Amino acid sequence: MKSLLSLTVLTATLGVMSLSSRAGSFSSDFSSAPANATTYGNAQVDTTSPALKLTTAAAGFNQSGSFVINDLDPGQRVNGFTATFYLRMGGGTTPPGDGICFVFGTDVPNAAFDEDGSGGAGTISGLVVTFDAYDNSLGDNTEGPEFRIKIQGNLAASRKISNQFQTGAGYVPVTISYSTSGTLTLVYNNAVMFTNVVTLGPFATGARFGFGSRCGGGANQDQFIQNLNITTTTVSRFYVKGSAQPFPSIGIASNATFQVQLNDSGASVDPTTVTMSFKGAAVTPAASKNGAVTTIGYTPPALLAGNSTNRMIISFGYSNDASIDSLLYDFTVAATPLWSLAPNSRVYLPPDTDLSGGTTPLYRSLALSPHTNHLYIVSRTNNASGFGISVNVLDSTSGADLYRMSTNGIQSGGTITLTCVTVAEDGAIYACNVTTTNGVIIYKWANDSSTTDPQIVYNAANPGSPSNSRWGDALWSRGAGPATQLLLDSFFHTNILVLSATDAYATNFTAAPYTNAYTGGTSGLAIGRSIQFGPTNTWFVKKRTSSGTAPPVPAKPLQFVGYTTGPNTTTSLLSDSDYYGQVGGLTVDLSRNLAAGILFVTNTTIPDRLQVYDISNLASPLQIAQYNFPVNHLKNNNMIGQVIFGQTMIYAVDGNNGVIAVPVSPPPPTVLNIARSGSSAVLSWNNLNPAFFPQSSPTARPFSWTVLNQPISVSGNTNIVTDALTGTNKFYRLLK
């Protein structure tokens, strides 16, 4: 995805902007050892190939190194800072390990400490920003790879990633900024990972900056820092006392109330001057003062929407100072489904007939009609073949139960009489049985009227070879009328069928068999999986390790496959294993650069989860949301479920664990804006869609793109970069 703009340089005059003074600073390109900092453990400053080397892959395993900077503001309390550096994490084992941390606090030790700020001297109680490259797999709660922000030992925020820490031999820019509001913003490789996360007001005097790192007993990598710059501001007029509430600011309750306390420091806050905007509207907060402490509170008049981000801006003045100051906070309500159906809440969501083993979910598949806004769930009320079969129609917006479709003519036979359902682009509904010996049967409903009977459009004994393949656990459709195609795969083997309509009414189909070697192997797999058409002659397939494996579970890849006819051949176009091993089948929506899959847990005290990913870079998925199923985990031994994308919602069924609908909410389109400021170009773009970075070119024919390495500043939901203009023309674009 690219955004291209041109700016013509007319003059070379330089404009100077007045900035507030900075109290302290540190800067080093490590071409020489900095005099006001010390390395500990395995860390070293390499002045030959300038870098701070916290750990090196060449040094093997079991390393720990730290770098501690002397107090930049002796006798003063730091009220804000910006730290920029370039980070390399690569060149080691697969998977790499273990990570680094950036720290700031009064108890940063003169000793080596690890990626969580822990070491022989204890655990740092100040600010710890962790870049955790290794999945320590704490049961069902996967710990990494991820960013973590901790303050006084409490988790303020975490952000799951996949392979974004794997920089190879290169470096990526990092910016960490702490504001007078007591909030933190983190930009990694030009992608905003956190914005305005509530941490804590300023620490006591004597706080120091530093880095920690570790490589464990079975993983290592180069963990290097270049071009480190830190600037600080100190307390003036006021400071935030403690943490703004609620804390953490991510995942708050919908009935949350808000409070922040301001402590006078050189000026006296006037509570009568306090104003507030909440979600863009002016509101009236409560403000009172007791001694030097002003308490500001606000209670919204209604429940906050699930998944919403609520921006609060507080402005205030002083009784003895003409200044006006402001605070900015973003509070995010916990991600919750828009609607959900718990197991056994409806007759067609019955309990498994094998309650102890969870081997026989009686509802496994769903589909969505773009024409009627109806959702379809296939179910049976008993494991006996042909008993209690139903195709249930729901309102997809509310989940309301509407009616049942006709099942007249559904034949008994196969392992499961009817299981998977899909909807073609013309609204026709298709469903199939599961079979290993009796042949695949595919049915078609021309529409979803309760009086429309299904008709058989495909019936073949042992389609494809060998004869003991299991078919029907996954089914997908595309096209309409005579251009309708269906996609069907086998479980035990590598056989896949592309079925095409042979008549104008799509009442008969012929199968083209293909053989595809799944890059995740063919043994030790769960029955639950996904397969779907991609663009033109392609498909996606994703499987999961069988249930006999407890966490950590070996990850199975999302494979992108191309196929050709005459002869029928396949080519693996992409195989990416950068999803947690517990994630099963995955559904892809390339039109919105999203993917979603179910993470199946094993702990019966927590629920299974639907994970949503940004796949703007298909080889580097980035988790952007997570939603719980309505009950704590009930066994689903074969990891059976399905995810479907609608226009505004994502729908998921998890065998034995219910159905949920969650918002699609893709990030808005990213547009590059350019403004002239003296002899510089100011580039800005929204940061709601991560991973964009700016490039420039001095010419248009041909382009000669280079990455802009200037630091990115963040203002709310906007990234800003200032680039000095040279020459006659300069062209800019965003790339990801």
Side-chain angles (χ1 to χ4, degrees):
M1 184 180 295
K2 302 174 183 178
S3 179
L4 176 63
L5 287 166
S6 170
L7 181 65
T8 300
V9 180
L10 298 177
T11 67
T13 59
L14 178 63
V16 178
M17 181 177 292
S18 175
L19 300 175
S20 59
S21 61
R22 300 284 185 175
S25 65
F26 175 91
S27 181
S28 179
D29 63 2
F30 300 107
S31 59
S32 61
N36 55 342
T38 307
T39 58
Y40 298 94
N42 296 96
Q44 57 182 301
V45 174
D46 184 345
T47 58
T48 303
S49 301
L52 167 62
K53 297 185 175 181
L54 297 167
T55 67
T56 63
F61 304 123
N62 298 312
Q63 302 176 61
S64 180
S66 66
F67 177 77
V68 179
I69 300 170
N70 297 344
D71 184 359
L72 298 182
D73 302 282
Q76 300 186 72
R77 301 179 68 177
V78 172
N79 203 31
F81 67 78
T82 298
T84 63
F85 55 91
Y86 286 83
L87 174 63
R88 172 178 171 179
M89 300 175 77
T93 57
T94 302
D98 273 77
I100 73 161
C101 67
F102 170 88
V103 301
F104 180 62
T106 57
D107 59 351
V108 176
N110 294 323
F113 51 89
D114 66 14
E115 75 276 19
D116 282 313
S118 300
T123 300
I124 295 168
S125 64
L127 172 68
V128 180
V129 181
T130 297
F131 301 67
D132 188 347
Y134 189 80
D135 179 7
N136 289 294
S137 294
L138 303 176
D140 293 306
N141 294 313
T142 49
E143 187 192 55
E146 67 180 8
F147 296 93
R148 283 191 300 278
I149 300 175
K150 286 189 175 182
I151 192 75
Q152 294 184 328
N154 299 309
L155 183 66
S158 64
R159 176 75 182 269
K160 305 292 185 185
I161 62 171
S162 59
N163 57 15
Q164 285 82 7
F165 283 149
Q166 298 170 25
T167 68
Y171 287 78
V172 298
V174 179
T175 300
I176 301 173
S177 56
Y178 168 75
S179 76
T180 55
S181 301
T183 62
L184 196 84
T185 295
L186 170 62
V187 182
Y188 175 83
N189 196 18
N190 300 315
V192 178
M193 295 298 165
F194 300 106
T195 304
N196 301 322
V197 172
V198 170
T199 57
L200 189 69
F203 294 102
T205 59
R208 299 190 296 172
F209 294 95
F211 290 90
S213 67
R214 183 176 69 95
C215 292
N220 63 33
Q221 63 182 337
D222 293 335
Q223 301 184 134
F224 299 170
I225 304 290
Q226 284 185 341
N227 296 323
L228 172 61
N229 293 278
I230 302 173
T231 55
T232 66
T233 57
T234 54
V235 170
S236 173
R237 294 192 295 273
F238 82 100
Y239 62 86
V240 172
K241 183 178 176 65
S243 297
Q245 297 297 319
F247 173 87
S249 56
I250 297 175
I252 68 172
S254 59
N255 63 345
T257 59
F258 304 90
Q259 179 179 286
V260 62
Q261 290 187 315
L262 310 180
N263 205 112
D264 293 347
S265 182
S268 179
V269 174
D270 182 353
T272 65
T273 66
V274 174
T275 62
M276 178 185 291
S277 72
F278 190 77
K279 299 169 59 177
V283 298
T284 303
S288 61
K289 190 162 188 175
N290 183 7
V293 178
T294 300
T295 300
I296 303 168
Y298 177 67
T299 300
L303 294 178
L304 302 175
N307 320 299
S308 64
T309 296
N310 302 273
R311 172 157 290 182
M312 183 170 71
I313 301 175
I314 302 170
S315 298
F316 53 92
Y318 303 89
S319 59
N320 60 345
D321 190 303
S323 302
I324 299 293
D325 283 312
S326 295
L327 305 174
L328 186 152
Y329 298 99
D330 288 325
F331 294 96
T332 303
V333 181
T336 55
L338 298 172
W339 59 262
S340 64
L341 300 175
N344 218 26
S345 61
R346 292 183 181 169
V347 67
Y348 49 84
L349 302 175
D352 197 314
T353 56
D354 175 19
L355 286 175
S356 62
T359 58
T360 318
L362 299 178
Y363 52 94
R364 304 175 174 222
S365 176
L366 47 67
L368 176 70
S369 172
H371 298 281
T372 62
N373 202 36
H374 288 165
L375 193 69
Y376 310 102
I377 298 176
V378 172
S379 177
R380 63 193 196 281
T381 57
N382 191 286
N383 193 36
S385 182
F387 186 86
I389 291 294
S390 63
V391 181
N392 306 277
V393 184
L394 291 73
D395 181 284
S396 64
T397 301
S398 65
D401 185 33
L402 298 179
Y403 57 89
R404 254 47 72 208
M405 290 170 54
S406 170
T407 56
N408 293 332
I410 300 293
Q411 299 181 5
S412 298
T415 305
I416 302 174
T417 301
L418 201 68
T419 179
C420 276
V421 61
T422 184
V423 179
E425 293 169 23
D426 56 5
I429 300 141
Y430 297 83
C432 67
N433 66 344
V434 169
T435 180
T436 57
T437 57
N438 296 337
V440 175
I441 303 175
I442 300 178
Y443 302 90
K444 174 187 176 181
W445 289 259
N447 56 62
D448 70 359
S449 167
S450 61
T451 60
T452 299
D453 292 335
Q455 61 183 127
I456 295 174
V457 295
Y458 183 78
N459 189 349
N462 303 319
S465 60
S467 60
N468 64 339
S469 295
R470 174 174 171 135
W471 298 87
D473 295 299
L475 177 69
W476 200 266
S477 63
R478 71 176 175 190
T484 302
Q485 289 187 308
L486 305 174
L487 189 62
L488 194 70
D489 77 335
S490 64
F491 169 59
F492 295 137
H493 299 284
T494 58
N495 309 98
I496 292 180
L497 298 179
V498 177
L499 296 96
S500 301
T502 59
D503 61 81
Y505 302 100
T507 55
N508 290 282
F509 284 76
T510 184
Y514 291 85
T515 299
N516 176 63
Y518 179 58
T519 47
T522 56
S523 61
L525 299 174
I527 289 176
R529 59 194 186 275
S530 63
I531 187 167
Q532 72 177 96
F533 282 114
T536 60
N537 285 8
T538 62
W539 66 65
F540 291 95
V541 61
K542 171 75 169 68
K543 303 186 181 184
R544 189 199 186 277
T545 303
S546 63
S547 62
T549 304
V553 177
K556 295 300 179 183
L558 173 68
Q559 187 183 15
F560 185 35
V561 180
Y563 67 92
T564 59
T565 59
N568 294 350
T569 59
T570 62
T571 303
S572 182
L573 304 175
L574 174 81
S575 180
D576 181 63
S577 297
D578 292 302
Y579 298 90
Y580 284 117
Q582 289 163 270
V583 174
L586 201 73
T587 300
V588 172
D589 184 342
L590 291 180
S591 69
R592 287 178 282 202
N593 291 323
L594 296 174
I598 300 169
L599 189 148
F600 299 93
V601 305
T602 57
N603 188 337
T604 57
T605 64
I606 60 175
D608 289 351
R609 306 189 285 271
L610 178 67
Q611 313 281 95
V612 184
Y613 300 90
D614 180 328
I615 55 167
S616 300
N617 181 346
L618 195 56
S620 187
L622 180 65
Q623 183 180 321
I624 58 174
Q626 174 177 286
Y627 302 89
N628 290 338
F629 278 85
V631 296
N632 287 340
H633 172 73
L634 296 172
K635 283 191 174 181
N636 180 358
N637 194 60
N638 290 309
M639 319 299 170
I640 291 171
Q642 188 173 13
V643 179
I644 294 291
F645 279 88
Q647 191 64 34
T648 60
M649 298 185 192
I650 306 172
Y651 305 90
V653 58
D654 178 356
N656 297 333
N657 288 270
V659 181
I660 60 174
V662 306
V664 170
S665 300
T670 298
V671 177
L672 178 62
N673 302 298
I674 299 179
R676 180 70 177 272
S677 177
S679 60
S680 297
V682 179
L683 284 64
S684 62
W685 65 98
N686 77 65
N687 56 39
L688 299 177
N689 194 351
F692 278 98
F693 58 91
Q695 293 183 322
S696 68
S697 172
T699 59
R701 296 182 180 178
F703 287 114
S704 179
W705 297 112
T706 57
V707 175
L708 289 177
N709 289 318
Q710 289 84 342
I712 293 178
S713 62
V714 179
S715 176
N717 294 325
T718 302
N719 289 349
I720 302 171
V721 168
T722 301
D723 182 43
L725 298 173
T726 58
T728 305
N729 295 284
K730 209 162 191 181
F731 300 85
Y732 296 94
R733 71 176 181 180
L734 291 176
L735 195 67
K736 67 161 39 178

